[in-house]
Amino acid sequence: MSIAVETPTDKTIVMSRSFAAPREVVFACHTQPEHIRQWWGRGNPLDVEIDFRVGGKWRFVEHADGNEHAFRGEIRAIDAPNGFTWTFEYEPMAGHILTEQYVFTEENGRTTVTSTSTFDSQEDRDGMIQSGMESGAEQSYAALDSYLLKIA
């Protein structure tokens, strides 16, 4: 299964992907550190700090190819298990903060995750696309597929 990516406006990216698991499980895998560290960051070793409450902060550090890639943000809204919204910032590019809204919908035991990323400018959006974001998300969600099979 691959990610569907759209750019409906000059400041947004919408990605969606389905998983063979119930919504509550897929939501937990996106919000609980013991699950996140198993798949986020393309399945590479990951340090996870997350205070999953409105106003709570999160920070993930991916360890890959001898480098560290740090990301951080703040939880803006939670509607468990239907969705959540947080800010997202890649620390080496501080100040380029986007807002990501995740929506989880379940049908016949499959859950579709749709994320809408809203950027401050078209330049920021285009930079994220050019950074390899789509392939990184694809690799992370492939790692989530494998993890979901382990915990099923």
Side-chain angles (χ1 to χ4, degrees):
M1 171 84 32
S2 63
I3 290 180
V5 178
E6 302 172 33
T7 52
T9 73
D10 62 356
K11 292 184 181 181
T12 59
I13 298 172
V14 178
M15 295 190 303
S16 60
R17 172 78 150 64
S18 292
F19 299 92
R23 174 174 43 196
E24 289 77 10
V25 173
V26 178
F27 184 86
C29 285
H30 279 77
T31 60
Q32 297 175 6
E34 64 271 20
H35 297 304
I36 295 167
R37 69 176 49 96
Q38 302 300 319
W39 67 272
W40 204 94
R42 303 171 294 159
N44 289 312
L46 188 72
D47 300 330
V48 175
E49 299 171 28
I50 186 168
D51 178 8
F52 195 73
R53 62 180 174 82
V54 174
K57 308 278 190 225
W58 67 269
R59 184 172 189 262
F60 305 159
V61 181
E62 176 188 5
H63 303 273
D65 305 319
N67 296 305
E68 292 186 347
H69 305 279
F71 305 84
R72 66 180 173 212
E74 180 179 315
I75 312 299
R76 294 269 176 91
I78 300 170
D79 178 22
N82 302 307
F84 67 90
T85 302
W86 67 14
T87 60
F88 181 98
E89 180 179 21
Y90 180 52
E91 288 184 4
M93 297 183 70
H96 296 273
I97 302 169
L98 60 121
T99 301
E100 291 184 319
Q101 178 185 29
Y102 285 82
V103 176
F104 299 77
T105 54
E106 182 179 349
E107 187 174 328
N108 300 321
R110 290 192 65 82
T111 299
T112 299
V113 178
T114 303
S115 65
T116 302
S117 300
T118 304
F119 298 81
D120 287 334
S121 67
Q122 182 175 350
E123 293 77 21
D124 280 359
R125 185 207 64 185
D126 292 349
M128 180 69 84
I129 291 169
Q130 293 165 3
S131 76
M133 170 266 321
E134 185 176 347
S135 66
E138 188 71 57
Q139 292 169 20
S140 291
Y141 275 162
L144 178 54
D145 275 331
S146 297
Y147 180 64
L148 288 167
L149 288 173
K150 288 181 191 172
I151 64 171

PDB file of all heavy atoms in Angstrom, residues 1-20:
ATOM      1  N   MET A   1       0.865  -1.176   0.000  1.00  0.00           N
ATOM      2  CA  MET A   1       0.000   0.000   0.000  1.00  0.00           C
ATOM      3  C   MET A   1       0.902   1.227   0.000  1.00  0.00           C
ATOM      4  O   MET A   1       1.861   1.297   0.747  1.00  0.00           O
ATOM      5  CB  MET A   1      -0.873  -0.046   1.250  1.00  0.00           C
ATOM      6  CG  MET A   1      -1.688   1.169   1.534  1.00  0.00           C
ATOM      7  SD  MET A   1      -3.286   1.383   0.742  1.00  0.00           S
ATOM      8  CE  MET A   1      -3.929  -0.227   0.523  1.00  0.00           C
ATOM      9  N   SER A   2       0.593   2.192  -0.839  1.00  0.00           N
ATOM     10  CA  SER A   2       1.422   3.395  -0.886  1.00  0.00           C
ATOM     11  C   SER A   2       0.616   4.608  -0.416  1.00  0.00           C
ATOM     12  O   SER A   2      -0.603   4.577  -0.354  1.00  0.00           O
ATOM     13  CB  SER A   2       1.954   3.620  -2.298  1.00  0.00           C
ATOM     14  OG  SER A   2       0.897   3.845  -3.187  1.00  0.00           O
ATOM     15  N   ILE A   3       1.342   5.643  -0.123  1.00  0.00           N
ATOM     16  CA  ILE A   3       0.745   6.888   0.341  1.00  0.00           C
ATOM     17  C   ILE A   3       0.203   7.654  -0.854  1.00  0.00           C
ATOM     18  O   ILE A   3       0.858   7.748  -1.889  1.00  0.00           O
ATOM     19  CB  ILE A   3       1.801   7.742   1.077  1.00  0.00           C
ATOM     20  CG1 ILE A   3       2.167   7.097   2.402  1.00  0.00           C
ATOM     21  CG2 ILE A   3       1.322   9.156   1.292  1.00  0.00           C
ATOM     22  CD1 ILE A   3       3.200   7.866   3.182  1.00  0.00           C
ATOM     23  N   ALA A   4      -0.983   8.211  -0.685  1.00  0.00           N
ATOM     24  CA  ALA A   4      -1.526   9.131  -1.678  1.00  0.00           C
ATOM     25  C   ALA A   4      -1.183  10.538  -1.225  1.00  0.00           C
ATOM     26  O   ALA A   4      -1.427  10.897  -0.074  1.00  0.00           O
ATOM     27  CB  ALA A   4      -3.042   8.956  -1.797  1.00  0.00           C
ATOM     28  N   VAL A   5      -0.577  11.314  -2.110  1.00  0.00           N
ATOM     29  CA  VAL A   5      -0.152  12.669  -1.763  1.00  0.00           C
ATOM     30  C   VAL A   5      -0.817  13.662  -2.710  1.00  0.00           C
ATOM     31  O   VAL A   5      -0.822  13.468  -3.924  1.00  0.00           O
ATOM     32  CB  VAL A   5       1.386  12.811  -1.865  1.00  0.00           C
ATOM     33  CG1 VAL A   5       1.824  14.230  -1.541  1.00  0.00           C
ATOM     34  CG2 VAL A   5       2.082  11.817  -0.949  1.00  0.00           C
ATOM     35  N   GLU A   6      -1.380  14.707  -2.124  1.00  0.00           N
ATOM     36  CA  GLU A   6      -2.003  15.782  -2.899  1.00  0.00           C
ATOM     37  C   GLU A   6      -1.494  17.120  -2.380  1.00  0.00           C
ATOM     38  O   GLU A   6      -1.100  17.230  -1.225  1.00  0.00           O
ATOM     39  CB  GLU A   6      -3.525  15.765  -2.736  1.00  0.00           C
ATOM     40  CG  GLU A   6      -4.203  14.482  -3.133  1.00  0.00           C
ATOM     41  CD  GLU A   6      -5.675  14.504  -2.742  1.00  0.00           C
ATOM     42  OE1 GLU A   6      -6.303  15.583  -2.768  1.00  0.00           O
ATOM     43  OE2 GLU A   6      -6.180  13.437  -2.377  1.00  0.00           O
ATOM     44  N   THR A   7      -1.528  18.133  -3.248  1.00  0.00           N
ATOM     45  CA  THR A   7      -1.204  19.506  -2.841  1.00  0.00           C
ATOM     46  C   THR A   7      -2.380  20.389  -3.263  1.00  0.00           C
ATOM     47  O   THR A   7      -2.322  21.078  -4.278  1.00  0.00           O
ATOM     48  CB  THR A   7       0.112  19.980  -3.486  1.00  0.00           C
ATOM     49  OG1 THR A   7       0.038  19.761  -4.894  1.00  0.00           O
ATOM     50  CG2 THR A   7       1.298  19.226  -2.927  1.00  0.00           C
ATOM     51  N   PRO A   8      -3.471  20.366  -2.469  1.00  0.00           N
ATOM     52  CA  PRO A   8      -4.691  21.069  -2.865  1.00  0.00           C
ATOM     53  C   PRO A   8      -4.579  22.591  -2.888  1.00  0.00           C
ATOM     54  O   PRO A   8      -5.332  23.247  -3.594  1.00  0.00           O
ATOM     55  CB  PRO A   8      -5.722  20.619  -1.839  1.00  0.00           C
ATOM     56  CG  PRO A   8      -4.919  20.161  -0.665  1.00  0.00           C
ATOM     57  CD  PRO A   8      -3.616  19.668  -1.204  1.00  0.00           C
ATOM     58  N   THR A   9      -3.639  23.157  -2.120  1.00  0.00           N
ATOM     59  CA  THR A   9      -3.400  24.603  -2.162  1.00  0.00           C
ATOM     60  C   THR A   9      -1.894  24.821  -2.179  1.00  0.00           C
ATOM     61  O   THR A   9      -1.117  23.884  -2.002  1.00  0.00           O
ATOM     62  CB  THR A   9      -3.994  25.341  -0.938  1.00  0.00           C
ATOM     63  OG1 THR A   9      -3.198  25.061   0.210  1.00  0.00           O
ATOM     64  CG2 THR A   9      -5.448  24.948  -0.677  1.00  0.00           C
ATOM     65  N   ASP A  10      -1.492  26.061  -2.356  1.00  0.00           N
ATOM     66  CA  ASP A  10      -0.060  26.349  -2.411  1.00  0.00           C
ATOM     67  C   ASP A  10       0.618  26.283  -1.042  1.00  0.00           C
ATOM     68  O   ASP A  10       1.832  26.414  -0.948  1.00  0.00           O
ATOM     69  CB  ASP A  10       0.199  27.697  -3.085  1.00  0.00           C
ATOM     70  CG  ASP A  10      -0.402  28.879  -2.346  1.00  0.00           C
ATOM     71  OD1 ASP A  10      -1.103  28.682  -1.337  1.00  0.00           O
ATOM     72  OD2 ASP A  10      -0.175  30.013  -2.790  1.00  0.00           O
ATOM     73  N   LYS A  11      -0.150  26.039   0.027  1.00  0.00           N
ATOM     74  CA  LYS A  11       0.440  25.955   1.366  1.00  0.00           C
ATOM     75  C   LYS A  11       0.111  24.645   2.084  1.00  0.00           C
ATOM     76  O   LYS A  11       0.338  24.539   3.285  1.00  0.00           O
ATOM     77  CB  LYS A  11      -0.041  27.125   2.225  1.00  0.00           C
ATOM     78  CG  LYS A  11       0.488  28.472   1.765  1.00  0.00           C
ATOM     79  CD  LYS A  11       0.055  29.562   2.722  1.00  0.00           C
ATOM     80  CE  LYS A  11       0.547  30.918   2.274  1.00  0.00           C
ATOM     81  NZ  LYS A  11       0.140  31.969   3.227  1.00  0.00           N
ATOM     82  N   THR A  12      -0.441  23.644   1.375  1.00  0.00           N
ATOM     83  CA  THR A  12      -0.812  22.403   2.054  1.00  0.00           C
ATOM     84  C   THR A  12      -0.340  21.165   1.295  1.00  0.00           C
ATOM     85  O   THR A  12      -0.168  21.182   0.077  1.00  0.00           O
ATOM     86  CB  THR A  12      -2.337  22.286   2.253  1.00  0.00           C
ATOM     87  OG1 THR A  12      -2.977  22.321   0.981  1.00  0.00           O
ATOM     88  CG2 THR A  12      -2.884  23.372   3.142  1.00  0.00           C
ATOM     89  N   ILE A  13      -0.149  20.112   2.077  1.00  0.00           N
ATOM     90  CA  ILE A  13       0.095  18.771   1.565  1.00  0.00           C
ATOM     91  C   ILE A  13      -0.873  17.853   2.300  1.00  0.00           C
ATOM     92  O   ILE A  13      -0.992  17.927   3.529  1.00  0.00           O
ATOM     93  CB  ILE A  13       1.531  18.281   1.853  1.00  0.00           C
ATOM     94  CG1 ILE A  13       2.570  19.160   1.164  1.00  0.00           C
ATOM     95  CG2 ILE A  13       1.700  16.821   1.423  1.00  0.00           C
ATOM     96  CD1 ILE A  13       4.006  18.844   1.580  1.00  0.00           C
ATOM     97  N   VAL A  14      -1.569  17.005   1.566  1.00  0.00           N
ATOM     98  CA  VAL A  14      -2.458  16.025   2.170  1.00  0.00           C
ATOM     99  C   VAL A  14      -1.942  14.641   1.801  1.00  0.00           C
ATOM    100  O   VAL A  14      -1.730  14.345   0.624  1.00  0.00           O
ATOM    101  CB  VAL A  14      -3.920  16.199   1.682  1.00  0.00           C
ATOM    102  CG1 VAL A  14      -4.816  15.130   2.283  1.00  0.00           C
ATOM    103  CG2 VAL A  14      -4.440  17.590   2.033  1.00  0.00           C
ATOM    104  N   MET A  15      -1.711  13.817   2.818  1.00  0.00           N
ATOM    105  CA  MET A  15      -1.264  12.444   2.598  1.00  0.00           C
ATOM    106  C   MET A  15      -2.274  11.511   3.251  1.00  0.00           C
ATOM    107  O   MET A  15      -2.761  11.793   4.353  1.00  0.00           O
ATOM    108  CB  MET A  15       0.113  12.192   3.220  1.00  0.00           C
ATOM    109  CG  MET A  15       1.221  12.979   2.587  1.00  0.00           C
ATOM    110  SD  MET A  15       2.886  12.471   3.114  1.00  0.00           S
ATOM    111  CE  MET A  15       2.811  12.670   4.873  1.00  0.00           C
ATOM    112  N   SER A  16      -2.565  10.392   2.578  1.00  0.00           N
ATOM    113  CA  SER A  16      -3.444   9.399   3.197  1.00  0.00           C
ATOM    114  C   SER A  16      -2.890   8.009   2.928  1.00  0.00           C
ATOM    115  O   SER A  16      -2.251   7.759   1.902  1.00  0.00           O
ATOM    116  CB  SER A  16      -4.879   9.532   2.701  1.00  0.00           C
ATOM    117  OG  SER A  16      -4.949   9.350   1.309  1.00  0.00           O
ATOM    118  N   ARG A  17      -3.164   7.136   3.888  1.00  0.00           N
ATOM    119  CA  ARG A  17      -2.634   5.765   3.831  1.00  0.00           C
ATOM    120  C   ARG A  17      -3.534   4.894   4.681  1.00  0.00           C
ATOM    121  O   ARG A  17      -3.961   5.300   5.763  1.00  0.00           O
ATOM    122  CB  ARG A  17      -1.208   5.766   4.369  1.00  0.00           C
ATOM    123  CG  ARG A  17      -0.544   4.428   4.559  1.00  0.00           C
ATOM    124  CD  ARG A  17      -0.055   3.856   3.236  1.00  0.00           C
ATOM    125  NE  ARG A  17       1.112   3.015   3.349  1.00  0.00           N
ATOM    126  CZ  ARG A  17       1.183   1.863   4.002  1.00  0.00           C
ATOM    127  NH1 ARG A  17       0.156   1.389   4.652  1.00  0.00           N
ATOM    128  NH2 ARG A  17       2.320   1.184   4.007  1.00  0.00           N
ATOM    129  N   SER A  18      -3.849   3.691   4.212  1.00  0.00           N
ATOM    130  CA  SER A  18      -4.705   2.754   4.948  1.00  0.00           C
ATOM    131  C   SER A  18      -3.879   1.651   5.580  1.00  0.00           C
ATOM    132  O   SER A  18      -2.848   1.245   5.039  1.00  0.00           O
ATOM    133  CB  SER A  18      -5.748   2.142   4.011  1.00  0.00           C
ATOM    134  OG  SER A  18      -6.664   3.123   3.596  1.00  0.00           O
ATOM    135  N   PHE A  19      -4.384   1.167   6.713  1.00  0.00           N
ATOM    136  CA  PHE A  19      -3.723   0.114   7.475  1.00  0.00           C
ATOM    137  C   PHE A  19      -4.739  -0.957   7.850  1.00  0.00           C
ATOM    138  O   PHE A  19      -5.904  -0.641   8.132  1.00  0.00           O
ATOM    139  CB  PHE A  19      -3.104   0.689   8.763  1.00  0.00           C
ATOM    140  CG  PHE A  19      -2.064   1.726   8.487  1.00  0.00           C
ATOM    141  CD1 PHE A  19      -2.407   3.075   8.422  1.00  0.00           C
ATOM    142  CD2 PHE A  19      -0.747   1.363   8.259  1.00  0.00           C
ATOM    143  CE1 PHE A  19      -1.456   4.033   8.140  1.00  0.00           C
ATOM    144  CE2 PHE A  19       0.213   2.326   7.980  1.00  0.00           C
ATOM    145  CZ  PHE A  19      -0.145   3.660   7.917  1.00  0.00           C
ATOM    146  N   ALA A  20      -4.298  -2.204   7.895  1.00  0.00           N
ATOM    147  CA  ALA A  20      -5.167  -3.331   8.244  1.00  0.00           C
ATOM    148  C   ALA A  20      -5.198  -3.482   9.764  1.00  0.00           C
ATOM    149  O   ALA A  20      -4.687  -4.448  10.329  1.00  0.00           O
ATOM    150  CB  ALA A  20      -4.667  -4.604   7.575  1.00  0.00           C
TER     151      ALA A  20
END
